[in-house]
Amino acid sequence: DLLALDEAQRTGRLDPDVVNDTFRAVHTLKGLAGLFGASRMAALSHELEELLDGLRLGRVELSPNVLDLLFRSVELYGRILQADKDGREGGMPEVEDLVRELHRRTDASAPVSPIGQYDLDPGLLAVLTEYEEHRLRTNITQGLSLFRLRVEFQLATIDQALDNLKAQAKPFGEIITYLPTGAGADADSIELDILLASRATAADLRGPLTIAGVKIEIEEVPRARGPGSPEGLTAMLA
């Protein structure tokens, strides 16, 4: 995973799934270290988890310095394990130094949000998790367009149908979140509004995104008509 992050840093194409996998691995390791009383490993894992959480939520930028901290942490894990195996219980200054460095790096401030550039439903924005808001902000910053997909699912098969739709959408972009509209043809169905970020056009998406027997409405989310936006200036001039 760290090699994949190193490649992402060089190419500028960061896969959020890789960051999430790395975060979950360290989170699990922290729990196991605490369970077995491995205090040095638990302390390092705690600060490393905080750094990775900041990375996945956009509070920390993936930079060469951050990658250096991640690779140093893996090296120190090996040295901690060897020290525990040898029964050496004394202090390890290199661990304490790295823990302090990780803690300082995690204090990075969050970037300014560009979400206000789009005319998004306030109800949808209100239920975004911190991670979903970060992914939305990241996709907008990278120049992707936003699309609203309105889909009616059968409750009995919604899990599989959603997984299929996510798999179909992945080559074109990223599904950020979905929210029930409160509508449905009957008690056995539910309608969802799905927010998708993509470089494709609405016409390009309509062919590949299909569910047998299900109608999928796709429309691009317009930019907000604020006074500073091109649309707002056009409206004022008109």
Side-chain angles (χ1 to χ4, degrees), residues 69-233:
L69 290 173
L70 296 177
F71 279 103
R72 284 170 59 193
S73 297
V74 172
E75 180 188 357
L76 273 184
Y77 275 140
R79 293 164 68 177
I80 290 170
L81 284 171
Q82 188 61 49
D84 288 344
K85 181 179 179 181
D86 296 341
R88 290 184 275 121
E89 298 181 358
M92 296 182 68
E94 62 270 39
V95 175
E96 297 166 9
D97 290 344
L98 184 55
V99 165
R100 283 193 292 268
E101 284 190 62
L102 289 168
H103 185 75
R104 285 196 299 268
R105 181 65 64 174
T106 307
D107 288 337
S109 58
V112 177
S113 175
I115 293 175
Q117 298 175 12
Y118 284 85
D119 188 13
L120 290 163
D121 183 352
L124 182 145
L125 292 177
V127 298
L128 289 178
T129 66
E130 187 178 8
Y131 176 70
E132 289 170 342
E133 184 175 343
H134 159 60
R135 292 307 309 157
L136 175 58
R137 185 172 60 241
T138 298
N139 279 289
I140 292 174
T141 302
Q142 292 177 350
L144 276 70
S145 299
L146 301 180
F147 298 90
R148 189 189 74 174
L149 282 58
R150 179 159 289 183
V151 190
E152 186 174 296
F153 295 95
Q154 291 299 305
L155 290 173
T157 57
I158 186 171
D159 290 340
Q160 184 61 49
L162 262 177
D163 287 343
N164 290 342
L165 186 61
K166 289 176 182 177
Q168 292 172 6
K170 191 171 180 60
F172 300 93
E174 178 181 353
I175 288 180
I176 306 296
T177 191
Y178 43 86
L179 181 70
T181 66
D186 50 49
D188 296 322
S189 65
I190 184 172
E191 187 179 72
L192 299 183
D193 270 346
I194 300 172
L195 185 62
L196 169 71
S198 176
R199 295 190 186 279
T201 66
D204 292 334
L205 294 171
R206 288 190 179 100
L209 301 185
T210 58
I211 301 175
V214 175
K215 181 181 178 182
I216 301 178
E217 299 178 8
I218 302 175
E219 63 178 26
E220 185 170 354
V221 177
R223 288 186 176 270
R225 299 174 66 87
S229 67
E231 295 83 353
L233 291 172

